[in-house]
Amino acid sequence: MIIDLRSDTVTRPTDGMKEAMFAAPVGDDVFGEDPTVNALEEKAAKLFDMEASLFCPSGTMTNQIAIRLHTRIQSEVICHKYSHVYLYEGGGIMSNSLASVKLLEGDLGKISAEQVKAAINQDDVHAPETTLVSLENTMNKGGGSIYTLEEVKPIRQICDENGLKLHLDGARLFNALVESGESTASWGAQFDTISICLSKGLGCPVGSLLLGTKADIKRARKVRKVWGGGMRQAGFLAAAGIYALDNHVERLADDHARARVLGEMLLKLPFVSEVFPVVTNIVIARLDGILPDEFLRKLAEKDIKAVKFGSDLVRFVTHLDFEDEQLEEFCEQVLNL
């Protein structure tokens, strides 16, 4: 039994999802004629009570399109120093939008309204113009930590008072909402654009959605085309997204429960000095007396896969294909390392 906990992107479509994919009516999406893509985009926009959405191949694309919409040459994006849009998107903010970045510190990857306010550049010829704040929920490098609405609303207010746009990298937003009990519509009301990923906890093979106003999504469609993201009979992929939104959201709570057990088990190991608070489906362990590469080698000998996440950190992510049987096997094997 191979237990792959490197990411929730490793899941494979369920039988029900595959049936929905093969049965999907399709057309040419670049012409706006794929009925299943149109249905997914309408469904997602309605879910968050936003005007429109755009289906894209990846969350990196949806994030980078949003940044392009809300910045211009020589402007600046405020985000946490561990944000995915900065760390893991290939320098896209610079490459795609020719914008600067102001990186903030923050507990478990989160930033506050006070920090945002202090980071906004004044009208000064020497400084780039601040135009955008980007948040991430859940926060990958924060061990799956979550923002609540009460934390976001003051940031929204600061943005409104200073004419800034607010984007959410919501790659694992559904994990956060399942845990907090907050509604999708309440989150849609706080942001100018939201990116949601379908190929992580929701278990789709491909795809993310960018949500926003009709005007922004019209512009986003053109940016997607320029970046080579226009797809043809993409309804086969969009059908997986519709199925996931209907069937795979509530079950995310199971991933969170298994992650908590996994975290408790790791703490029993003598060379694990800390496990970040386990809130959703990400477990980050800090090592002491063993390097991550050596720990990963020991895990690989037990057919367990995880990823190095820093000089002394290893990350595990629970997901759709990690069930109670795999959890029991993990616990048994880890205790025998």
Side-chain angles (χ1 to χ4, degrees):
M1 180 187 296
I2 295 177
I3 299 174
D4 194 341
L5 296 170
R6 290 173 297 172
S7 175
D8 41 10
T9 60
V10 302
T11 58
R12 292 168 175 80
T14 62
D15 290 340
M17 182 178 286
K18 285 187 285 189
E19 289 176 10
M21 293 170 69
F22 285 122
V26 298
D28 191 319
D29 180 50
V30 174
F31 289 126
E33 295 176 353
D34 190 302
T36 309
V37 172
N38 293 341
L40 172 63
E41 291 174 343
E42 292 168 8
K43 182 181 185 69
K46 183 177 180 180
L47 186 62
F48 284 84
D49 198 21
M50 299 181 79
E51 291 182 1
S53 75
L54 180 67
F55 184 49
C56 293
S58 71
T60 293
M61 181 175 282
T62 49
N63 281 332
Q64 291 299 316
I65 290 175
I67 292 168
R68 170 66 73 87
L69 295 179
H70 302 317
T71 60
R72 49 190 172 270
I73 294 174
Q74 295 176 281
S75 62
E76 187 165 80
V77 181
I78 294 173
C79 63
H80 192 277
K81 69 177 184 178
Y82 291 149
S83 293
H84 193 281
V85 296
Y86 173 72
L87 275 186
Y88 295 121
E89 297 185 7
I93 295 175
M94 176 278 296
S95 177
N96 298 320
S97 298
L98 298 178
S100 181
V101 187
K102 182 168 287 184
L103 303 176
L104 304 184
E105 302 279 348
D107 186 41
L108 295 175
K110 300 193 299 178
I111 58 178
S112 68
E114 292 76 14
Q115 288 177 291
V116 171
K117 184 176 181 179
I120 298 170
N121 290 331
Q122 301 301 310
D123 185 7
D124 186 331
V125 70
H126 302 92
E129 180 187 4
T130 307
T131 62
L132 174 64
V133 177
S134 180
L135 307 180
E136 184 176 327
N137 200 20
T138 68
M139 183 61 189
N140 179 26
K141 291 286 282 187
S145 60
I146 66 174
Y147 281 95
T148 65
L149 277 173
E150 293 311 306
E151 293 170 315
V152 169
K153 287 178 179 179
I155 298 175
R156 173 78 263 180
Q157 183 176 348
I158 293 296
C159 289
D160 289 342
E161 291 172 354
N162 291 274
L164 309 183
K165 298 295 185 179
L166 184 59
H167 171 66
L168 177 65
D169 174 2
R172 296 183 175 91
L173 178 56
F174 286 102
N175 291 86
L177 298 185
V178 164
E179 196 62 27
S180 71
E182 296 168 343
S183 71
T184 49
S186 65
W187 275 76
Q190 299 303 316
F191 292 88
D192 294 287
T193 48
I194 295 177
S195 166
I196 56 174
C197 187
L198 301 170
S199 64
K200 292 187 171 69
L202 297 185
C204 294
V206 175
S208 289
L209 289 152
L210 180 65
L211 296 84
T213 64
K214 289 180 180 178
D216 277 344
I217 296 304
K218 182 178 180 179
R219 290 177 57 213
R221 194 173 296 275
K222 181 169 288 190
V223 177
R224 185 188 70 171
K225 178 63 177 175
V226 170
W227 289 349
M231 297 178 283
R232 302 301 179 175
Q233 289 72 36
F236 295 117
L237 300 174
I242 293 173
Y243 183 90
L245 290 173
D246 287 340
N247 296 278
H248 289 173
V249 174
E250 292 183 3
R251 63 148 307 279
L252 291 171
D254 297 334
D255 295 342
H256 302 173
R258 294 183 183 112
R260 285 189 281 271
V261 174
L262 192 153
E264 292 168 0
M265 183 58 58
L266 289 171
L267 278 173
K268 296 180 180 180
L269 299 178
F271 47 80
V272 172
S273 62
E274 177 190 7
V275 170
F276 287 22
V278 181
V279 182
T280 52
N281 69 323
I282 296 176
V283 182
I284 297 179
R286 188 179 305 278
L287 307 179
D288 183 16
I290 185 173
L291 294 174
D293 289 338
E294 177 63 14
F295 183 40
L296 292 174
R297 185 188 64 77
K298 289 178 176 291
L299 290 172
E301 292 174 353
K302 303 289 187 179
D303 291 326
I304 298 171
K305 298 181 180 182
V307 295
K308 182 178 178 179
F309 222 47
S311 60
D312 61 350
L313 301 175
V314 171
R315 187 191 75 168
F316 303 80
V317 185
T318 59
H319 50 73
L320 184 66
D321 290 344
F322 180 71
E323 299 182 343
D324 287 341
E325 181 183 3
Q326 287 79 18
L327 178 59
E328 291 174 9
E329 179 71 11
F330 175 90
C331 293
E332 180 180 338
Q333 294 298 336
V334 165
L335 284 178
N336 292 320
L337 285 176

